[in-house]
Amino acid sequence: MKQRITYLLQDIDRELDLDQVQVDAKSLTVDGIASAKELRTTFGFDEVPRELWVVLKQCHELRIRWASSRPYTAVPPLVSRVSPGLHVYYTPRQSGKDVPLCSWLQRLFGNELDCKNVERSFINLPILSERFSSTASLQYYFLLPSLERFVTYLQHTVHESQRSNLSSLLHADYLDIDCDIIAHACVLNAYWSESPGSKPWKERIVSNSETGIIEVGILTNEKSLEAEELSFNGVLTVIGEDGKPKPTRFSFPSRHHPIPSLSAYHAHIALPAGLHPTLKLTFHHSLRPPQAACALHAHLTLPRHFFLDRHQLRDPLFLASQNLQVLHALAGATDLEAPDWAVSQWGSAALLELAPPTPPDSPTAADSSTAGTVGEWTASIPLHLRYASPSPNETSQEAQLPWPVVFWACAADEGMQVAGNPFDRTNVGYDGLFGPRTLFYHIPPLNSKGMAGGEREMLVERVAMPVLSLDRAWYVEWGTLGAVVLGWVWLVWKLVGIGMGWRGKGGGNGEKEE
């Protein structure tokens, strides 16, 4: 096992005080460091639980992404995002072979996961860039609010000496698990934008035979000379090998970048929602692209209750009226007529290109019909709800929709290589829909809008979904029966009237002939 712990200072102009870092023969102590933190732990296949090894033997690729529904600050280089919830990306070694992946996921994250088996519950992912070979072929999603079950599982699995810090995972902003079949290793990545309790980090990291090698870095992001690169300076320490922190400075190309402006977005469902809700994406501050050749995108994760109508999104006039450009990809449960109980897959995923206004000082502003101000701007995404299963006594149920991921996609230079990025993050749901030399500039969700009681707004929208109440279904049953009977009586009356009319007409003609 090997661990890498990185503290990422958020204040670029702040100098690191080495008095806050104490190193001895077997430990490192940090005291009062206000920063984000990443924990990266690498396990060999001989160190993972046997039940996971049974699954891994039948996998070509397995990657798990979980993100909290709480808004958080993403610090470079860890700025890539996924929609809140649990995402599982999987490529089987042999297609069509039954793998106990769902049962293992339920044991790991909770029995509430609506995962029956890979064939019924997963969706096939479109891969528009065939050269992006690291993208998995299947995806599963569930809006999992907490890692509580996962932490409990680890507490019964890992060595006793490693259990003390597991509870901190309950406060993580995101968690990644990547299993590399070729390297025979699994990597667990956890990220905290701040320490639990919003206080500076104060902890002692101990290295022993059970924890393996531990490398600790305290880094500050600095301005890079190249647009495709991120640069850092700070100190690195290998516990047990280094007697004091060693200064370091390095740069590397990265496909994920923070947006250079103050742009942020807020998502909400327009009311009344009904069976055809509209997701509004409102952008605040400037919507200026980071480069000239960039396009604004939104990647949506739609649970089973929701779906997009691809035919509706083919009309260019309708798209323009909603400030949308084009639907690039749609995968998963896309049957427009299927009710909720008839859909076995978890839902669908979509990539939409938005049509933001052209900045007034842009060279193309004079010829663009979308030229205008760069203040607040809204794009509307039309959604639809499936018919839900009837309820014994409820007339509505809550359907939850995670906020989408919003980013600018820009073309990088031909010579860019990201192989040297120690913080690279792939399989986030949308990277396989672009070429390997695409830069993603992420627009963060607006987290300053508070709710009652001072709590921050969650990155999940809640919609009241109409449901047939069985207690009141007799109105529908008797009403339908009455309508059928009245319709049948009316039809018989009309037919009898027509028949009698023909009989009278036929009798009159006979008398004239005589």
Side-chain angles (χ1 to χ4, degrees), residues 23-278:
V23 181
D24 58 34
K26 294 184 178 180
S27 69
L28 181 145
T29 302
V30 295
D31 187 2
I33 293 182
S35 68
K37 175 185 173 182
E38 183 207 39
L39 169 63
R40 178 184 178 92
T41 307
T42 304
F43 301 91
F45 277 5
D46 57 340
E47 299 174 297
V48 302
R50 178 175 176 78
E51 57 187 332
L52 174 57
W53 172 237
V54 172
V55 173
L56 292 177
K57 287 192 298 184
Q58 304 176 61
C59 294
H60 177 72
E61 185 175 19
L62 178 62
R63 302 180 187 272
I64 298 174
R65 308 280 181 263
W66 177 86
S68 171
S69 59
R70 303 183 306 268
Y72 66 89
T73 301
V75 179
L78 307 175
V79 295
S80 62
R81 295 178 181 266
V82 296
S83 292
L86 178 69
H87 307 252
V88 181
Y89 300 98
Y90 163 70
T91 301
R93 180 168 292 184
Q94 294 181 359
S95 59
K97 188 174 182 179
D98 187 24
V99 179
L101 181 56
C102 281
S103 59
W104 177 74
L105 289 173
Q106 289 170 340
R107 178 172 172 79
L108 195 64
F109 294 103
N111 293 325
E112 65 267 28
L113 267 66
D114 187 13
C115 186
K116 299 177 177 59
N117 56 56
V118 172
E119 184 177 356
R120 295 186 61 189
S121 300
F122 281 62
I123 68 171
N124 292 300
L125 287 176
I127 302 176
L128 303 187
S129 174
E130 295 296 335
R131 293 181 297 171
F132 213 92
S133 57
S134 63
T135 301
S137 60
L138 300 172
Q139 181 193 8
Y140 172 77
Y141 172 79
F142 184 80
L143 188 52
L144 186 70
S146 169
L147 291 176
E148 184 175 354
R149 178 64 179 269
F150 176 69
V151 172
T152 302
Y153 175 87
L154 291 182
Q155 288 174 339
H156 291 86
T157 304
V158 303
H159 192 270
E160 184 177 357
S161 62
Q162 303 170 11
R163 297 174 185 172
S164 58
N165 296 324
L166 287 178
S167 60
S168 63
L169 290 175
L170 295 173
H171 305 280
D173 293 306
Y174 74 69
L175 174 80
D176 293 349
I177 301 176
D178 295 272
C179 291
D180 190 333
I181 310 304
I182 298 177
H184 281 245
C186 286
V187 179
L188 184 148
N189 266 27
Y191 172 78
W192 296 262
S193 58
E194 58 186 7
S195 65
S198 302
K199 298 180 180 179
W201 293 97
K202 184 177 182 179
E203 54 188 0
R204 183 169 180 259
I205 305 165
V206 179
S207 175
N208 53 46
S209 59
E210 298 297 336
T211 60
I213 300 173
I214 302 180
E215 181 185 33
V216 181
I218 304 175
L219 304 175
T220 301
N221 181 218
E222 62 181 16
K223 186 174 179 59
S224 177
L225 298 178
E226 301 292 337
E228 296 86 359
E229 290 187 348
L230 295 175
S231 298
F232 294 88
N233 70 78
V235 294
L236 297 177
T237 306
V238 178
I239 300 178
E241 296 181 10
D242 299 329
K244 63 179 182 179
K246 294 182 178 180
T248 184
R249 174 177 275 113
F250 57 94
S251 301
F252 53 83
S254 176
R255 61 167 55 93
H256 297 284
H257 293 260
I259 191 71
S261 66
L262 298 176
S263 296
Y265 79 96
H266 177 263
H268 70 280
I269 296 290
L271 297 177
L275 285 171
H276 305 280
T278 299

Side-chain angles (χ1 to χ4, degrees), residues 261-264 283-288 373-377 446 448:
S261 66
L262 298 176
S263 296
F283 295 84
H284 301 267
H285 304 295
S286 173
L287 251 186
R288 188 178 303 277
T373 63
V374 290
E376 187 173 292
W377 174 80
L446 188 68
S448 61

